[in-house]
PDB file of all heavy atoms in Angstrom:
ATOM      1  N   GLN P  13     265.751  68.459 112.013  1.00  0.00           N
ATOM      2  CA  GLN P  13     265.788  68.242 110.575  1.00  0.00           C
ATOM      3  C   GLN P  13     264.378  68.310 110.021  1.00  0.00           C
ATOM      4  O   GLN P  13     263.452  67.692 110.571  1.00  0.00           O
ATOM      5  CB  GLN P  13     266.405  66.872 110.274  1.00  0.00           C
ATOM      6  CG  GLN P  13     266.670  66.626 108.820  1.00  0.00           C
ATOM      7  CD  GLN P  13     267.399  65.311 108.599  1.00  0.00           C
ATOM      8  OE1 GLN P  13     267.461  64.455 109.466  1.00  0.00           O
ATOM      9  NE2 GLN P  13     267.953  65.160 107.424  1.00  0.00           N
ATOM     10  N   ASN P  14     264.186  69.053 108.949  1.00  0.00           N
ATOM     11  CA  ASN P  14     262.899  69.166 108.261  1.00  0.00           C
ATOM     12  C   ASN P  14     261.749  69.565 109.192  1.00  0.00           C
ATOM     13  O   ASN P  14     260.662  69.010 109.121  1.00  0.00           O
ATOM     14  CB  ASN P  14     262.555  67.849 107.558  1.00  0.00           C
ATOM     15  CG  ASN P  14     263.571  67.477 106.502  1.00  0.00           C
ATOM     16  OD1 ASN P  14     264.143  68.342 105.846  1.00  0.00           O
ATOM     17  ND2 ASN P  14     263.825  66.190 106.352  1.00  0.00           N
ATOM     18  N   GLY P  15     262.009  70.509 110.090  1.00  0.00           N
ATOM     19  CA  GLY P  15     260.952  71.032 110.952  1.00  0.00           C
ATOM     20  C   GLY P  15     260.570  70.167 112.135  1.00  0.00           C
ATOM     21  O   GLY P  15     259.584  70.449 112.805  1.00  0.00           O
ATOM     22  N   GLU P  16     261.301  69.105 112.396  1.00  0.00           N
ATOM     23  CA  GLU P  16     261.038  68.290 113.571  1.00  0.00           C
ATOM     24  C   GLU P  16     262.358  67.918 114.234  1.00  0.00           C
ATOM     25  O   GLU P  16     263.415  67.967 113.634  1.00  0.00           O
ATOM     26  CB  GLU P  16     260.215  67.041 113.230  1.00  0.00           C
ATOM     27  CG  GLU P  16     260.756  66.202 112.121  1.00  0.00           C
ATOM     28  CD  GLU P  16     259.780  65.105 111.695  1.00  0.00           C
ATOM     29  OE1 GLU P  16     258.570  65.198 111.970  1.00  0.00           O
ATOM     30  OE2 GLU P  16     260.256  64.157 111.079  1.00  0.00           O
ATOM     31  N   THR P  17     262.257  67.554 115.513  1.00  0.00           N
ATOM     32  CA  THR P  17     263.444  67.199 116.282  1.00  0.00           C
ATOM     33  C   THR P  17     263.436  65.707 116.550  1.00  0.00           C
ATOM     34  O   THR P  17     262.469  65.176 117.097  1.00  0.00           O
ATOM     35  CB  THR P  17     263.481  67.965 117.622  1.00  0.00           C
ATOM     36  OG1 THR P  17     263.506  69.367 117.332  1.00  0.00           O
ATOM     37  CG2 THR P  17     264.701  67.596 118.437  1.00  0.00           C
ATOM     38  N   GLU P  18     264.523  65.052 116.141  1.00  0.00           N
ATOM     39  CA  GLU P  18     264.684  63.639 116.460  1.00  0.00           C
ATOM     40  C   GLU P  18     265.426  63.549 117.782  1.00  0.00           C
ATOM     41  O   GLU P  18     266.470  64.164 117.960  1.00  0.00           O
ATOM     42  CB  GLU P  18     265.469  62.911 115.377  1.00  0.00           C
ATOM     43  CG  GLU P  18     265.639  61.443 115.677  1.00  0.00           C
ATOM     44  CD  GLU P  18     266.400  60.692 114.613  1.00  0.00           C
ATOM     45  OE1 GLU P  18     267.254  61.297 113.940  1.00  0.00           O
ATOM     46  OE2 GLU P  18     266.140  59.494 114.465  1.00  0.00           O
ATOM     47  N   VAL P  19     264.867  62.791 118.715  1.00  0.00           N
ATOM     48  CA  VAL P  19     265.473  62.584 120.023  1.00  0.00           C
ATOM     49  C   VAL P  19     265.939  61.133 120.081  1.00  0.00           C
ATOM     50  O   VAL P  19     265.137  60.215 119.924  1.00  0.00           O
ATOM     51  CB  VAL P  19     264.471  62.865 121.162  1.00  0.00           C
ATOM     52  CG1 VAL P  19     265.117  62.646 122.517  1.00  0.00           C
ATOM     53  CG2 VAL P  19     263.906  64.270 121.045  1.00  0.00           C
ATOM     54  N   LEU P  20     267.241  60.938 120.277  1.00  0.00           N
ATOM     55  CA  LEU P  20     267.821  59.599 120.398  1.00  0.00           C
ATOM     56  C   LEU P  20     268.245  59.389 121.842  1.00  0.00           C
ATOM     57  O   LEU P  20     268.965  60.213 122.403  1.00  0.00           O
ATOM     58  CB  LEU P  20     269.040  59.453 119.502  1.00  0.00           C
ATOM     59  CG  LEU P  20     268.774  59.388 118.010  1.00  0.00           C
ATOM     60  CD1 LEU P  20     270.061  59.579 117.233  1.00  0.00           C
ATOM     61  CD2 LEU P  20     268.141  58.065 117.660  1.00  0.00           C
ATOM     62  N   VAL P  21     267.800  58.280 122.435  1.00  0.00           N
ATOM     63  CA  VAL P  21     268.125  57.975 123.824  1.00  0.00           C
ATOM     64  C   VAL P  21     268.775  56.595 123.881  1.00  0.00           C
ATOM     65  O   VAL P  21     268.230  55.626 123.344  1.00  0.00           O
ATOM     66  CB  VAL P  21     266.859  57.985 124.706  1.00  0.00           C
ATOM     67  CG1 VAL P  21     267.192  57.607 126.137  1.00  0.00           C
ATOM     68  CG2 VAL P  21     266.180  59.335 124.645  1.00  0.00           C
ATOM     69  N   LEU P  22     269.926  56.532 124.529  1.00  0.00           N
ATOM     70  CA  LEU P  22     270.640  55.273 124.732  1.00  0.00           C
ATOM     71  C   LEU P  22     270.715  55.015 126.229  1.00  0.00           C
ATOM     72  O   LEU P  22     271.219  55.845 126.987  1.00  0.00           O
ATOM     73  CB  LEU P  22     272.049  55.344 124.148  1.00  0.00           C
ATOM     74  CG  LEU P  22     272.940  54.125 124.362  1.00  0.00           C
ATOM     75  CD1 LEU P  22     272.391  52.916 123.624  1.00  0.00           C
ATOM     76  CD2 LEU P  22     274.356  54.425 123.908  1.00  0.00           C
ATOM     77  N   VAL P  23     270.196  53.850 126.656  1.00  0.00           N
ATOM     78  CA  VAL P  23     270.204  53.493 128.073  1.00  0.00           C
ATOM     79  C   VAL P  23     271.089  52.260 128.266  1.00  0.00           C
ATOM     80  O   VAL P  23     270.906  51.252 127.584  1.00  0.00           O
ATOM     81  CB  VAL P  23     268.778  53.181 128.592  1.00  0.00           C
ATOM     82  CG1 VAL P  23     268.816  52.817 130.066  1.00  0.00           C
ATOM     83  CG2 VAL P  23     267.852  54.365 128.364  1.00  0.00           C
ATOM     84  N   ASN P  24     272.023  52.349 129.195  1.00  0.00           N
ATOM     85  CA  ASN P  24     272.851  51.210 129.557  1.00  0.00           C
ATOM     86  C   ASN P  24     272.017  50.333 130.497  1.00  0.00           C
ATOM     87  O   ASN P  24     271.865  50.644 131.673  1.00  0.00           O
ATOM     88  CB  ASN P  24     274.129  51.692 130.239  1.00  0.00           C
ATOM     89  CG  ASN P  24     275.007  50.563 130.703  1.00  0.00           C
ATOM     90  OD1 ASN P  24     274.840  49.432 130.278  1.00  0.00           O
ATOM     91  ND2 ASN P  24     275.928  50.868 131.588  1.00  0.00           N
ATOM     92  N   HIS P  25     271.443  49.247 129.946  1.00  0.00           N
ATOM     93  CA  HIS P  25     270.524  48.417 130.722  1.00  0.00           C
ATOM     94  C   HIS P  25     270.588  46.978 130.220  1.00  0.00           C
ATOM     95  O   HIS P  25     270.633  46.742 129.019  1.00  0.00           O
ATOM     96  CB  HIS P  25     269.096  48.954 130.587  1.00  0.00           C
ATOM     97  CG  HIS P  25     268.175  48.472 131.644  1.00  0.00           C
ATOM     98  ND1 HIS P  25     267.612  47.213 131.615  1.00  0.00           N
ATOM     99  CD2 HIS P  25     267.726  49.062 132.774  1.00  0.00           C
ATOM    100  CE1 HIS P  25     266.846  47.069 132.682  1.00  0.00           C
ATOM    101  NE2 HIS P  25     266.899  48.176 133.400  1.00  0.00           N
ATOM    102  N   PRO P  26     270.549  45.975 131.126  1.00  0.00           N
ATOM    103  CA  PRO P  26     270.695  44.581 130.693  1.00  0.00           C
ATOM    104  C   PRO P  26     269.506  44.010 129.919  1.00  0.00           C
ATOM    105  O   PRO P  26     269.672  43.096 129.122  1.00  0.00           O
ATOM    106  CB  PRO P  26     270.888  43.815 132.004  1.00  0.00           C
ATOM    107  CG  PRO P  26     270.237  44.665 133.037  1.00  0.00           C
ATOM    108  CD  PRO P  26     270.461  46.085 132.583  1.00  0.00           C
ATOM    109  N   MET P  27     268.292  44.502 130.164  1.00  0.00           N
ATOM    110  CA  MET P  27     267.099  44.043 129.465  1.00  0.00           C
ATOM    111  C   MET P  27     267.003  42.514 129.436  1.00  0.00           C
ATOM    112  O   MET P  27     266.885  41.885 128.391  1.00  0.00           O
ATOM    113  CB  MET P  27     267.055  44.617 128.047  1.00  0.00           C
ATOM    114  CG  MET P  27     267.031  46.139 127.994  1.00  0.00           C
ATOM    115  SD  MET P  27     265.624  46.918 128.806  1.00  0.00           S
ATOM    116  CE  MET P  27     264.325  46.578 127.634  1.00  0.00           C
ATOM    117  N   GLU P  28     267.022  41.911 130.604  1.00  0.00           N
ATOM    118  CA  GLU P  28     266.936  40.450 130.731  1.00  0.00           C
ATOM    119  C   GLU P  28     265.481  39.980 130.704  1.00  0.00           C
ATOM    120  O   GLU P  28     264.621  40.566 131.355  1.00  0.00           O
ATOM    121  CB  GLU P  28     267.595  39.976 132.024  1.00  0.00           C
ATOM    122  CG  GLU P  28     269.095  40.018 132.007  1.00  0.00           C
ATOM    123  CD  GLU P  28     269.723  39.003 131.049  1.00  0.00           C
ATOM    124  OE1 GLU P  28     269.037  38.052 130.609  1.00  0.00           O
ATOM    125  OE2 GLU P  28     270.908  39.174 130.734  1.00  0.00           O
ATOM    126  N   THR P  29     265.233  38.881 130.008  1.00  0.00           N
ATOM    127  CA  THR P  29     263.872  38.347 129.868  1.00  0.00           C
ATOM    128  C   THR P  29     263.448  37.456 131.026  1.00  0.00           C
ATOM    129  O   THR P  29     262.267  37.217 131.219  1.00  0.00           O
ATOM    130  CB  THR P  29     263.754  37.496 128.587  1.00  0.00           C
ATOM    131  OG1 THR P  29     264.586  36.348 128.729  1.00  0.00           O
ATOM    132  CG2 THR P  29     264.134  38.289 127.359  1.00  0.00           C
ATOM    133  N   GLY P  30     264.416  36.926 131.750  1.00  0.00           N
ATOM    134  CA  GLY P  30     264.113  35.962 132.796  1.00  0.00           C
ATOM    135  C   GLY P  30     264.119  34.533 132.269  1.00  0.00           C
ATOM    136  O   GLY P  30     263.869  33.585 133.005  1.00  0.00           O
ATOM    137  N   GLN P  31     264.427  34.366 130.990  1.00  0.00           N
ATOM    138  CA  GLN P  31     264.435  33.048 130.359  1.00  0.00           C
ATOM    139  C   GLN P  31     265.842  32.472 130.178  1.00  0.00           C
ATOM    140  O   GLN P  31     265.997  31.274 130.001  1.00  0.00           O
ATOM    141  CB  GLN P  31     263.767  33.123 128.976  1.00  0.00           C
ATOM    142  CG  GLN P  31     262.341  33.598 129.029  1.00  0.00           C
ATOM    143  CD  GLN P  31     261.455  32.678 129.843  1.00  0.00           C
ATOM    144  OE1 GLN P  31     261.455  31.471 129.646  1.00  0.00           O
ATOM    145  NE2 GLN P  31     260.716  33.242 130.787  1.00  0.00           N
ATOM    146  N   ARG P  32     266.864  33.337 130.212  1.00  0.00           N
ATOM    147  CA  ARG P  32     268.236  32.860 130.004  1.00  0.00           C
ATOM    148  C   ARG P  32     268.795  32.233 131.274  1.00  0.00           C
ATOM    149  O   ARG P  32     268.396  32.571 132.379  1.00  0.00           O
ATOM    150  CB  ARG P  32     269.154  34.013 129.582  1.00  0.00           C
ATOM    151  CG  ARG P  32     268.875  34.511 128.201  1.00  0.00           C
ATOM    152  CD  ARG P  32     269.847  35.544 127.666  1.00  0.00           C
ATOM    153  NE  ARG P  32     270.516  36.367 128.642  1.00  0.00           N
ATOM    154  CZ  ARG P  32     271.847  36.397 128.810  1.00  0.00           C
ATOM    155  NH1 ARG P  32     272.641  35.654 128.069  1.00  0.00           N
ATOM    156  NH2 ARG P  32     272.382  37.193 129.701  1.00  0.00           N
ATOM    157  N   THR P  33     269.767  31.347 131.081  1.00  0.00           N
ATOM    158  CA  THR P  33     270.447  30.677 132.182  1.00  0.00           C
ATOM    159  C   THR P  33     271.890  31.140 132.237  1.00  0.00           C
ATOM    160  O   THR P  33     272.553  31.236 131.198  1.00  0.00           O
ATOM    161  CB  THR P  33     270.405  29.148 131.982  1.00  0.00           C
ATOM    162  OG1 THR P  33     269.043  28.747 131.855  1.00  0.00           O
ATOM    163  CG2 THR P  33     271.024  28.420 133.143  1.00  0.00           C
ATOM    164  N   ASP P  34     272.385  31.427 133.434  1.00  0.00           N
ATOM    165  CA  ASP P  34     273.781  31.798 133.609  1.00  0.00           C
ATOM    166  C   ASP P  34     274.641  30.569 133.292  1.00  0.00           C
ATOM    167  O   ASP P  34     274.458  29.517 133.899  1.00  0.00           O
ATOM    168  CB  ASP P  34     274.016  32.254 135.052  1.00  0.00           C
ATOM    169  CG  ASP P  34     275.417  32.775 135.280  1.00  0.00           C
ATOM    170  OD1 ASP P  34     276.383  32.069 134.918  1.00  0.00           O
ATOM    171  OD2 ASP P  34     275.550  33.875 135.839  1.00  0.00           O
ATOM    172  N   PRO P  35     275.590  30.688 132.350  1.00  0.00           N
ATOM    173  CA  PRO P  35     276.382  29.519 131.963  1.00  0.00           C
ATOM    174  C   PRO P  35     277.264  28.973 133.081  1.00  0.00           C
ATOM    175  O   PRO P  35     277.581  27.789 133.095  1.00  0.00           O
ATOM    176  CB  PRO P  35     277.231  30.016 130.793  1.00  0.00           C
ATOM    177  CG  PRO P  35     277.135  31.487 130.792  1.00  0.00           C
ATOM    178  CD  PRO P  35     275.926  31.872 131.578  1.00  0.00           C
ATOM    179  N   LYS P  36     277.643  29.809 134.024  1.00  0.00           N
ATOM    180  CA  LYS P  36     278.514  29.356 135.120  1.00  0.00           C
ATOM    181  C   LYS P  36     277.729  28.680 136.240  1.00  0.00           C
ATOM    182  O   LYS P  36     278.106  27.616 136.713  1.00  0.00           O
ATOM    183  CB  LYS P  36     279.317  30.534 135.675  1.00  0.00           C
ATOM    184  CG  LYS P  36     280.334  31.072 134.696  1.00  0.00           C
ATOM    185  CD  LYS P  36     281.101  32.241 135.269  1.00  0.00           C
ATOM    186  CE  LYS P  36     282.052  32.788 134.220  1.00  0.00           C
ATOM    187  NZ  LYS P  36     282.723  33.993 134.651  1.00  0.00           N
ATOM    188  N   THR P  37     276.635  29.310 136.667  1.00  0.00           N
ATOM    189  CA  THR P  37     275.879  28.786 137.810  1.00  0.00           C
ATOM    190  C   THR P  37     274.727  27.868 137.399  1.00  0.00           C
ATOM    191  O   THR P  37     274.158  27.186 138.234  1.00  0.00           O
ATOM    192  CB  THR P  37     275.291  29.945 138.645  1.00  0.00           C
ATOM    193  OG1 THR P  37     274.319  30.641 137.846  1.00  0.00           O
ATOM    194  CG2 THR P  37     276.367  30.890 139.126  1.00  0.00           C
ATOM    195  N   LYS P  38     274.346  27.924 136.133  1.00  0.00           N
ATOM    196  CA  LYS P  38     273.211  27.141 135.594  1.00  0.00           C
ATOM    197  C   LYS P  38     271.868  27.574 136.176  1.00  0.00           C
ATOM    198  O   LYS P  38     270.878  26.866 136.063  1.00  0.00           O
ATOM    199  CB  LYS P  38     273.405  25.630 135.815  1.00  0.00           C
ATOM    200  CG  LYS P  38     274.717  25.093 135.291  1.00  0.00           C
ATOM    201  CD  LYS P  38     274.798  25.215 133.810  1.00  0.00           C
ATOM    202  CE  LYS P  38     276.095  24.573 133.309  1.00  0.00           C
ATOM    203  NZ  LYS P  38     276.607  25.159 132.128  1.00  0.00           N
ATOM    204  N   GLU P  39     271.843  28.758 136.802  1.00  0.00           N
ATOM    205  CA  GLU P  39     270.596  29.294 137.355  1.00  0.00           C
ATOM    206  C   GLU P  39     270.005  30.327 136.400  1.00  0.00           C
ATOM    207  O   GLU P  39     270.724  30.968 135.639  1.00  0.00           O
ATOM    208  CB  GLU P  39     270.854  29.930 138.719  1.00  0.00           C
ATOM    209  CG  GLU P  39     271.261  28.925 139.782  1.00  0.00           C
ATOM    210  CD  GLU P  39     271.471  29.575 141.131  1.00  0.00           C
ATOM    211  OE1 GLU P  39     271.106  30.748 141.307  1.00  0.00           O
ATOM    212  OE2 GLU P  39     272.005  28.892 142.015  1.00  0.00           O
ATOM    213  N   LYS P  40     268.690  30.469 136.469  1.00  0.00           N
ATOM    214  CA  LYS P  40     268.011  31.467 135.626  1.00  0.00           C
ATOM    215  C   LYS P  40     268.469  32.869 136.024  1.00  0.00           C
ATOM    216  O   LYS P  40     268.604  33.181 137.204  1.00  0.00           O
ATOM    217  CB  LYS P  40     266.494  31.383 135.795  1.00  0.00           C
ATOM    218  CG  LYS P  40     265.885  30.157 135.200  1.00  0.00           C
ATOM    219  CD  LYS P  40     265.424  30.423 133.808  1.00  0.00           C
ATOM    220  CE  LYS P  40     264.686  29.192 133.298  1.00  0.00           C
ATOM    221  NZ  LYS P  40     264.341  29.300 131.936  1.00  0.00           N
ATOM    222  N   ILE P  41     268.693  33.721 135.014  1.00  0.00           N
ATOM    223  CA  ILE P  41     268.997  35.125 135.248  1.00  0.00           C
ATOM    224  C   ILE P  41     267.652  35.824 135.454  1.00  0.00           C
ATOM    225  O   ILE P  41     266.768  35.717 134.601  1.00  0.00           O
ATOM    226  CB  ILE P  41     269.763  35.734 134.063  1.00  0.00           C
ATOM    227  CG1 ILE P  41     271.093  34.987 133.872  1.00  0.00           C
ATOM    228  CG2 ILE P  41     269.981  37.229 134.271  1.00  0.00           C
ATOM    229  CD1 ILE P  41     271.834  35.348 132.603  1.00  0.00           C
ATOM    230  N   PRO P  42     267.473  36.540 136.581  1.00  0.00           N
ATOM    231  CA  PRO P  42     266.178  37.173 136.861  1.00  0.00           C
ATOM    232  C   PRO P  42     265.775  38.197 135.791  1.00  0.00           C
ATOM    233  O   PRO P  42     266.626  38.872 135.208  1.00  0.00           O
ATOM    234  CB  PRO P  42     266.392  37.882 138.198  1.00  0.00           C
ATOM    235  CG  PRO P  42     267.591  37.236 138.796  1.00  0.00           C
ATOM    236  CD  PRO P  42     268.431  36.752 137.660  1.00  0.00           C
ATOM    237  N   ALA P  43     264.495  38.290 135.537  1.00  0.00           N
ATOM    238  CA  ALA P  43     263.965  39.274 134.590  1.00  0.00           C
ATOM    239  C   ALA P  43     264.305  40.686 135.062  1.00  0.00           C
ATOM    240  O   ALA P  43     264.242  40.982 136.252  1.00  0.00           O
ATOM    241  CB  ALA P  43     262.458  39.111 134.453  1.00  0.00           C
TER     242      ALA P  43
END
C-alpha cells in the first residue's frame, strides 16, 4: 500500500513473564 509493504506476523507463543503463579499448583510459571 502506498509504495511500501506492511508485513504482519502472528506467533503462537505464551510470552510468560515469570511473575505469574499457576492457580492450581500455586507455583511460579517459568519465564
Side-chain angles (χ1 to χ4, degrees):
Q13 188 175 16
N14 298 326
E16 52 189 20
T17 300
E18 181 179 29
V19 180
L20 289 166
V21 177
L22 176 66
V23 180
N24 177 16
H25 198 281
M27 300 300 286
E28 286 292 344
T29 65
Q31 301 299 310
R32 290 187 333 119
T33 304
D34 185 309
K36 292 179 183 174
T37 65
K38 306 295 184 210
E39 293 182 11
K40 290 267 186 186
I41 299 171

